[in-house]
């Protein structure tokens, strides 16, 4: 692993909603230009964990974070960090496609518009770049000014990916991005994830273990014990985690005995 660069370095991370601790002591490197899958049973803190990487979890109310998270060496909790910029650098795609009730074009242009003035020609270019990056351009190029809500579920999810790509993020976080999609739309998103990693770093939560083996380079297995607090049980190259897990709990989960 010596030729890998760390994009996000998580050290001894614990997270609380009000006073209830939901994840504890997680240390993990998310490598640049690699896809890292996070798997584990429901409620073990996978969503909380990835939402903490771009500080979206702080929008949930009174929360507490312990430990540290660095994005390319910069502490994301440093008071000098511009949180809007951080969330542009670390984009996110959610479980259910959530396009805005606007045109396809405006959905993709949204993030650029709110971050300042941009000449129309440049905006057009970026919208095209992002839609191409999300493998959606050919399907929508003739109807950019129609409502995004008229797209199929799979197209809407690729539109949300395009919206994230438009602001040129360094990292893309995906929380079960295919769970609301049919198998063909899922396959398209998986192919997209595979191609995006050339330019981008991706962390993806998935409950689908075949998906983790298909799309990821590294896998982190999270679980809870009697305390119900989420922990990282094992991290490794995806092939190792699925074929040769070192921890019995990982073995039981990936072989479908539990979960
Ligand atoms: P996963 O994504 O692995 O299913 P989550 O991160 O959604 O797990 O949830 C981890 C734990 O945190 C669960 O016990 C869940 O009930 C709790 N939790 C999630 N969101 C909140 C919230 N906004 N307020 C309080 N507790 C929450
Ligand atoms: Mg979740």
């Amino acid at each position: 692993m010596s030729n890998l660069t760390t994009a996000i370095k998580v050290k001894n991370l614990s997270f609380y909603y009000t006073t209830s601790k939901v994840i504890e002591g997680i240390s993990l490197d998310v490598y640049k230009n690699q896809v890292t899958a996070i798997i584990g049973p429901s409620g073990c803190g996978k969503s909380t964990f990835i939402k903490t990487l771009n500080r979206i979890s702080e929008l949930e109310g009174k929360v507490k974070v312990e430990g540290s998270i660095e994005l390319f060496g910069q502490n994301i909790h440093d008071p000098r960090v511009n949180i809007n910029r951080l969330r542009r650098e670390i984009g996110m795609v959610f479980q259910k496609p959530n396009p805005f009730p606007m045109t396809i074009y405006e959905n993709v242009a949204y993030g650029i518009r709110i971050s300042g003035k941009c000449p129309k020609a440049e905006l057009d270019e970026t919208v095209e770049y992002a839609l191409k990056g999300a493998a959606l351009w050919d399907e929508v190029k003739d109807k950019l000014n129609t409502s995004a809500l008229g797209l199929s579920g799979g197209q809407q999810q690729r539109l949300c990916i395009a919206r994230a790509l438009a602001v040129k993020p360094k990292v893309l976080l995906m929380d079960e991005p295919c769970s609301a999609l049919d198998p063909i739309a899922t396959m398209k998103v998986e192919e997209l994830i595979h191609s995006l990693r050339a330019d981008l770093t991706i962390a993806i939560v998935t409950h689908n273990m075949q998906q983790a083996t298909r799309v990821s380079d590294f896998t982190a297995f999270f679980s809870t014990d009697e305390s119900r607090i989420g922990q990282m049980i094992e991290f490794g190259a995806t092939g190792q985690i699925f074929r040769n897990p070192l921890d019995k709990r990982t073995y039981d989960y990936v072989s479908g005995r539990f979960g």
Side-chain angles (χ1 to χ4, degrees), residues 17 22 40-49 51 60 175-176 205:
Y17 290 108
V22 298
S42 174
C44 69
K46 302 178 300 296
S47 294
T48 300
F49 176 76
K51 282 190 289 184
E60 308 269 341
D175 192 355
E176 305 198 13
V205 172

Side-chain angles (χ1 to χ4, degrees), residues 103-118:
T103 65
I104 293 168
Y105 183 97
E106 286 303 328
N107 263 274
V108 183
Y110 184 83
I112 309 161
R113 285 207 202 277
I114 60 168
S115 51
K117 263 205 151 342
C118 177

Side-chain angles (χ1 to χ4, degrees), residues 3 8 21 26 28 31 49 51 59 62-63 67 134 137 141 161 174 181 190 195 198 201 207 210 217 226 244 253 255:
N3 54 353
I8 300 182
K21 192 193 270 189
I26 295 181
L28 161 71
Y31 297 116
F49 176 76
K51 282 190 289 184
L59 305 173
K62 196 173 172 308
V63 304
W137 176 250
K141 63 177 190 292
I161 295 171
M174 307 178 107
L181 307 184
E190 288 184 3
S195 66
T201 299
H207 63 255
Q210 282 74 36
D217 304 289
E226 315 75 52
N244 188 23
Y253 187 77
S255 60

Side-chain angles (χ1 to χ4, degrees), residues 93 134-135 153-155 157-158 161 174 177-178 181-196 202 204 211 215:
V93 174
Q155 289 172 325
Q157 193 62 306
R158 280 179 285 137
I161 295 171
M174 307 178 107
C178 301
L181 307 184
D182 64 48
I184 290 174
T186 295
M187 196 179 75
K188 284 193 180 151
V189 171
E190 288 184 3
E191 282 168 1
L192 179 57
I193 292 169
H194 204 74
S195 66
L196 286 174
I202 295 177
I204 177 173
Q211 177 165 79
V215 303

Side-chain angles (χ1 to χ4, degrees), residues 28-241:
L28 161 71
D29 279 18
V30 176
Y31 297 116
K32 180 173 185 279
N33 296 119
Q34 302 284 309
V35 178
T36 299
I38 296 149
I39 61 168
S42 174
C44 69
K46 302 178 300 296
S47 294
T48 300
F49 176 76
I50 64 162
K51 282 190 289 184
T52 302
L53 300 181
N54 67 353
R55 297 181 59 184
I56 288 225
S57 54
E58 291 172 24
L59 305 173
E60 308 269 341
K62 196 173 172 308
V63 304
K64 187 168 84 170
V65 180
E66 290 169 350
S68 72
I69 301 173
E70 289 173 4
L71 173 64
F72 292 107
Q74 153 119 76
N75 174 3
I76 69 162
H77 294 104
D78 188 309
R80 286 167 301 185
V81 164
N82 176 324
I83 193 134
N84 294 321
R85 175 151 171 224
L86 174 73
R87 289 175 186 152
R88 282 200 297 277
E89 289 182 340
I90 309 184
M92 183 143 192
V93 174
F94 299 90
Q95 211 163 328
K96 206 169 158 290
N98 59 348
F100 303 136
M102 332 171 163
T103 65
I104 293 168
Y105 183 97
E106 286 303 328
N107 263 274
V108 183
Y110 184 83
I112 309 161
R113 285 207 202 277
I114 60 168
S115 51
K117 263 205 151 342
C118 177
K120 174 82 168 87
E122 200 179 305
L123 197 57
D124 287 352
E125 218 172 90
T126 308
V127 167
E128 181 172 339
Y129 152 88
L131 285 167
K132 282 182 172 160
L136 188 59
W137 176 250
D138 289 338
E139 291 158 61
V140 301
K141 63 177 190 292
D142 300 321
K143 51 175 181 180
L144 293 176
N145 294 317
T146 63
S147 171
L149 304 181
L151 297 172
S152 71
Q155 289 172 325
Q156 289 187 3
Q157 193 62 306
R158 280 179 285 137
L159 182 68
C160 294
I161 295 171
R163 189 171 67 195
L165 295 180
V167 294
K168 316 232 162 101
K170 294 181 176 151
V171 179
L172 190 58
L173 308 174
M174 307 178 107
D175 192 355
E176 305 198 13
C178 301
S179 60
L181 307 184
D182 64 48
I184 290 174
T186 295
M187 196 179 75
K188 284 193 180 151
V189 171
E190 288 184 3
E191 282 168 1
L192 179 57
I193 292 169
H194 204 74
S195 66
L196 286 174
R197 87 206 222 296
D199 303 310
L200 200 71
T201 299
I202 295 177
I204 177 173
V205 172
T206 177
H207 63 255
N208 177 330
M209 292 194 257
Q210 282 74 36
Q211 177 165 79
T213 60
R214 285 192 298 261
V215 303
S216 73
D217 304 289
F218 291 90
T219 296
F221 171 59
F222 285 18
S223 193
T224 55
D225 55 17
E226 315 75 52
S227 67
R228 309 298 305 150
I229 299 170
Q231 293 164 29
M232 189 171 81
I233 306 298
E234 189 166 350
F235 171 80
T238 296
Q240 181 254 307
I241 293 290

